[in-house]
């Protein structure tokens, strides 16, 4: 069984396609996310922790390794789990890239995409190496192993799509938020997706937002008597609930803009 973790937030998440730019570390939010996930996983025995060598993934994996409850596990880097090689797009603002004709192809038909410039990788090539890496570690660790991989949004989406038997063109329908947990159990016959994009939050953020201040509530309000008092059915989230992430912080990788 493999636990797939996307790295935590960085300063460029949602604004820049970071790609394989070196030296991009977790910001304070990302460090808090990594520590919170590490605490959640502290009691889960892990046979291995494998990570993309990029700093943001290594830091996330190191935080998880440091929180083991008396079960020390070393962190191993695997370049096959690294970010997509975005070529000339690397380091560019997402708002600028969204105006490129290729952007629409990335969203709707990623299996046809090769990123421009020297070293630009195709999405099928990325998916092939990522799934191949999972299969390699499955064989190396054995059928009964439980291990963790820390990687990037587009990479994890490709692995989940493969698990579900989906064409790569469908991968942009999958959401993989920063520091989210997805779990796949592999068997000799087929893989099973046990969990996807789990960020450990409460469900308050799923409620329909109420009307803006000054607006009259329409259908779907509760009240006293026929007219009601205009109180929306969906109340404010309970303390500790996780609200919907801002665009770019939660939207899955290049499909919605995190670049990592």
């Amino acid at each position: 069984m493999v636990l797939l973790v996307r790295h935590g937030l960085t300063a460029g998440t949602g604004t820049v396609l970071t790609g394989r730019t070196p030296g991009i570390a977790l910001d304070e939010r990302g460090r808090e996310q990594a520590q919170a996930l590490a605490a959640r996983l502290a009691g889960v025995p892990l046979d291995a922790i494998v990570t993309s060598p990029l700093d943001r993934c290594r830091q996330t994996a190191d935080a998880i390794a440091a929180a083991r409850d008396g079960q020390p596990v070393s962190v191993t880097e695997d370049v096959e789990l690294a970010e997509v090689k975005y070529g000339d797009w690397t380091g560019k603002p997402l708002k600028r890239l969204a105006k490129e004709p290729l952007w629409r192809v990335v969203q709707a038909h990623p299996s046809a995409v090769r990123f421009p410039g020297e070293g630009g990788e195709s999405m099928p090539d990325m998916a092939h190496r990522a799934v191949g890496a999972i299969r390699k570690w499955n064989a190396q660790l054995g059928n009964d192993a439980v291990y963790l991989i820390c990687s990037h949004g587009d990479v994890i989406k490709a692995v989940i799509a493969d698990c579900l038997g989906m064409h790569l063109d469908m991968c942009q329908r999958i959401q993989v938020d920063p520091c989210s947990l997805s779990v796949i159990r592999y068997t000799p016959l087929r893989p099973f997706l046990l969990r996807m994009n789990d960020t450990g939050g409460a469900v308050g953020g799923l409620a329909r937002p109420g009307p803006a201040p000054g607006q009259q509530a329409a259908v779907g309000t509760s009240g006293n008597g026929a007219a009601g008092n205009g109180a929306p059915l969906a109340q404010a989230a309970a303390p500790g609930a996780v609200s919907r992430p801002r665009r770019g912080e939660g939207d899955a990788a290049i499909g919605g803009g995190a670049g990592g």
Side-chain angles (χ1 to χ4, degrees):
M1 185 163 63
V2 57
L3 283 60
L4 298 168
V5 172
R6 184 182 173 193
H7 63 80
L9 288 163
T10 73
T13 300
T15 59
V16 176
L17 188 61
T18 302
R20 296 196 179 193
T21 304
I24 304 298
L26 299 179
D27 63 11
E28 182 178 354
R29 302 167 303 163
R31 291 190 294 270
E32 290 176 354
Q33 287 178 322
Q35 291 166 2
L37 179 58
R40 290 180 64 204
L41 296 177
V44 179
L46 295 175
D47 295 291
I49 297 177
V50 186
T51 183
S52 158
L54 294 173
D55 290 353
R56 55 196 185 273
C57 283
R58 180 72 203 219
Q59 290 175 342
T60 304
D62 284 345
I64 294 170
R68 300 282 83 212
D69 279 349
Q71 303 166 341
V73 181
S74 60
V75 177
T76 303
E77 295 182 358
D78 188 343
V79 70
E80 297 303 311
L81 297 167
E83 179 62 289
V84 183
K85 299 175 185 176
Y86 290 119
D88 289 348
W89 280 24
T90 301
K92 300 291 179 61
L94 289 169
K95 286 185 177 181
R96 174 179 169 185
L97 293 176
K99 298 176 182 179
E100 296 284 343
L102 184 61
W103 181 268
R104 293 176 61 86
V105 185
V106 172
Q107 310 311 314
H109 191 22
S111 67
V113 169
R114 177 176 293 277
F115 290 96
E118 184 177 356
E121 187 174 29
S122 75
M123 290 289 281
D125 284 349
M126 175 277 291
H128 179 75
R129 66 169 166 83
V131 172
I134 298 286
R135 300 288 185 180
K136 174 190 70 178
W137 284 103
N138 287 348
Q140 181 172 325
L141 296 172
N143 292 336
D144 296 328
V146 177
Y147 68 103
L148 183 144
I149 280 177
C150 186
S151 188
H152 306 268
D154 283 335
V155 176
I156 294 173
K157 288 196 296 180
V159 171
I160 292 174
D162 173 79
C163 162
L164 295 174
M166 294 166 52
H167 195 281
L168 185 61
D169 285 345
M170 308 292 282
C171 77
Q172 300 292 26
R173 302 186 182 195
I174 297 171
Q175 183 93 354
V176 178
D177 291 335
C179 233
S180 63
L181 172 67
S182 300
V183 181
I184 300 174
R185 178 165 61 89
Y186 286 87
T187 75
L189 178 62
R190 61 190 175 194
F192 294 86
L193 182 64
L194 305 183
R195 187 172 300 199
M196 186 176 75
N197 199 37
D198 174 9
T199 56
V203 298
L206 302 178
R208 180 183 294 114
Q215 289 185 345
Q216 183 178 359
V219 177
T221 61
S222 62
N224 300 320
N229 62 11
L233 288 174
Q235 302 296 328
V242 176
S243 61
R244 300 185 187 197
R246 297 196 302 269
R247 181 168 181 81
E249 289 188 2
D251 292 1
I254 200 171

